[in-house]
Amino acid sequence: MIIGIPKEIKNNENRVALTPAGAQELVKRGHTVYIQHTAGDGSGFPDYLYEEAGAKILPTIEETYRIAEMIMKVKEPIEPEYDLVREDQLLFTYFHFASHEPLTNAMIKSKSVCLAYETVEKPGGGLPLLVPMSEVAGRMATQKGANYLEKPLGGKGILMGGVPGTLPAKVLILGGGIVGTQAAWMAAGMKADVTILDVSLPRMRYLSDVMPANVKTRMSNEYNIRELIKTADLIIGAVLIPGAKAPHLITRDMLKEMQPGTVLVDVAVDQGGCIETCKPTTHQDPTFTIDGVLHYCVANMPGAVPYTSTIALTNATLPYAIQLADKGWKRASKESIELTTGLNVIKGDVVYKAVADAFNLPFTAVEKHLEN
């Protein structure tokens, strides 16, 4: 298979979809890997490392899309890339379709095959390609939140762990999944007073067993949320419904119940956000304030630590990329339920129910495209 790795052009996105080590593994299996010139520079992987691994360098994004049978990316194609996507071309990347109707319509129009990292799902649950970036984003959410609690940046002026004779910051985490767990570990390590909200009693029992004493769990419901936000210093949104738009757990009216300088970090913003007032921001312009409450809503948080993120992402995606390259997307999906769940749009048909429901689009069973 001919595999193309374009340079990411989303604002301040420094990650690349494949490390030189990943490229070498694909080349060893007889595949051809094309890397757009300087695509790996932001992650610390210059062109010569890819060439030493057996990959070939192409000068432009247009050439990379034109030659590749499978495009591997980190973020979804943005508008300048829409017309570069070809019919029958396989795109393997994060899409988050349910929060972006123009992207969905563009990929339907392209008649390409869109396999989304975020909906590849293991039998019995588990999102193996979302996990590494969720781990990075969860840890960064606390790191960024702690930073923005500083007064010059718009926060309350509170040190996460306090010092003897003062109280630590109160951190409220919405969701006890991968993002929430990683955010809690970081906040706990900084000696903050941490509360995790979740709707699953088994998950809360697990968290109570593994978390240190400064982490508590509460049932996630509107009553508890309204009570806890009144005194929270940092609130981290970490709610995910695979492939679907995130529910709004914090609504616009709730901001008036928060103290001025409260910091909100919505990690779910690329799925529509679980905080109603959040809208996607960039690393270049990451925050805005509503009713005295600071919002940090960068949609590609792991892009700020691209070296770590690129290695972690390749570790997770490479085994699936090898299956797709060795067998082709159709046979690989027939033989792997995990890849089947990753299929979102195939040749103009929406085959992932949550995406069809998000925009009232016709839904087509994925089996239609896998039968032949």
Side-chain angles (χ1 to χ4, degrees), residues 1-8 17-18 26 32-36 39 56 58 61 63-73 89-92:
M1 183 178 278
I2 301 172
I3 300 154
I5 313 295
K7 185 180 177 72
E8 300 292 328
L18 198 66
L26 287 163
T32 305
V33 178
Y34 288 97
I35 310 286
Q36 185 186 339
K56 301 176 181 180
L58 286 176
I61 192 170
E63 288 177 272
T64 307
Y65 271 94
R66 186 164 55 246
I67 200 168
E69 296 168 295
M70 174 167 70
I71 291 287
M72 288 184 68
K73 283 176 49 60
Q89 191 170 47
L90 172 62
L91 274 72
F92 191 33

Side-chain angles (χ1 to χ4, degrees), residues 268-327:
V269 69
D270 53 7
Q271 284 289 96
C274 61
I275 298 169
E276 185 177 14
T277 46
C278 273
K279 60 185 180 183
T281 60
T282 66
H283 291 292
Q284 190 173 337
D285 188 16
T287 64
F288 57 91
T289 300
I290 299 175
D291 291 345
V293 175
L294 185 75
H295 295 59
Y296 178 95
C297 309
V298 174
N300 61 329
M301 288 173 62
V305 286
Y307 181 77
T308 298
S309 297
T310 292
I311 294 173
L313 184 61
T314 297
N315 288 344
T317 59
L318 184 61
Y320 296 95
I322 288 171
Q323 291 180 55
L324 292 165
D326 285 352
K327 304 173 184 178

Side-chain angles (χ1 to χ4, degrees), residues 5-69:
I5 313 295
K7 185 180 177 72
E8 300 292 328
I9 58 174
K10 192 163 188 172
N11 182 285
N12 277 283
E13 181 50 73
N14 293 300
R15 290 172 289 179
V16 64
L18 198 66
T19 62
Q24 187 174 52
E25 290 303 311
L26 287 163
V27 170
K28 275 167 53 179
R29 286 166 169 78
H31 306 296
T32 305
V33 178
Y34 288 97
I35 310 286
Q36 185 186 339
H37 174 53
T38 71
D41 282 7
S43 295
F45 301 116
D47 287 353
Y48 78 86
L49 291 179
Y50 288 101
E51 291 178 301
E52 289 176 356
K56 301 176 181 180
I57 307 299
L58 286 176
T60 67
I61 192 170
E62 290 83 6
E63 288 177 272
T64 307
Y65 271 94
R66 186 164 55 246
I67 200 168
E69 296 168 295

Side-chain angles (χ1 to χ4, degrees), residues 56-306:
K56 301 176 181 180
I57 307 299
L58 286 176
T60 67
I61 192 170
E62 290 83 6
E63 288 177 272
T64 307
Y65 271 94
R66 186 164 55 246
I67 200 168
E69 296 168 295
M70 174 167 70
I71 291 287
M72 288 184 68
K73 283 176 49 60
V74 179
K75 294 301 290 180
E76 73 284 348
I78 61 174
E79 192 171 350
E81 295 171 273
Y82 290 171
D83 290 338
L84 301 179
V85 179
R86 303 194 326 269
E87 185 172 349
D88 292 331
Q89 191 170 47
L90 172 62
L91 274 72
F92 191 33
T93 186
Y94 289 116
F95 279 104
H96 300 290
F97 279 121
S99 63
H100 199 346
E101 190 171 8
L103 170 68
T104 305
N105 291 332
M107 293 304 99
I108 290 170
K109 181 182 176 183
S110 74
K111 296 189 180 300
S112 59
V113 178
C114 301
L115 208 157
Y117 291 161
E118 72 274 7
T119 63
V120 170
E121 186 171 355
K122 287 185 172 292
L127 304 168
L129 305 190
L130 200 58
V131 165
M133 294 305 95
S134 294
E135 290 171 333
V136 173
R139 295 183 181 204
M140 281 193 68
T142 298
Q143 184 173 299
K144 288 294 183 181
N147 190 30
Y148 281 101
L149 276 173
E150 296 175 12
K151 194 68 175 178
L153 297 178
K156 292 182 179 180
I158 292 178
L159 183 65
M160 284 284 275
V163 293
T166 71
L167 292 174
K170 289 188 175 182
V171 178
L172 176 62
I173 299 172
L174 307 176
I178 301 295
V179 170
T181 300
Q182 296 298 319
W185 278 118
M186 288 290 281
M190 298 173 83
K191 308 301 182 185
D193 178 0
V194 185
T195 301
I196 304 174
L197 296 183
D198 204 274
V199 294
S200 167
L201 281 171
R203 185 65 182 175
M204 285 190 280
R205 289 190 182 103
Y206 165 78
L207 292 170
S208 293
D209 286 342
V210 300
M211 286 290 172
N214 56 328
V215 178
K216 303 173 287 294
T217 59
R218 294 278 296 273
M219 180 58 70
S220 181
N221 55 47
E222 184 176 346
Y223 184 91
N224 284 342
I225 291 172
R226 286 188 180 273
E227 176 191 348
L228 292 165
I229 62 174
K230 294 174 183 176
T231 56
D233 303 307
L234 168 61
I235 301 171
I236 296 174
V239 175
L240 173 73
I241 299 175
K245 196 168 183 178
H248 289 154
L249 298 188
I250 290 183
T251 54
R252 176 72 173 79
D253 67 293
M254 291 182 184
L255 267 58
K256 293 181 172 59
E257 300 180 39
M258 300 177 191
Q259 297 170 8
T262 300
V263 175
L264 306 181
V265 178
D266 195 345
V267 184
V269 69
D270 53 7
Q271 284 289 96
C274 61
I275 298 169
E276 185 177 14
T277 46
C278 273
K279 60 185 180 183
T281 60
T282 66
H283 291 292
Q284 190 173 337
D285 188 16
T287 64
F288 57 91
T289 300
I290 299 175
D291 291 345
V293 175
L294 185 75
H295 295 59
Y296 178 95
C297 309
V298 174
N300 61 329
M301 288 173 62
V305 286

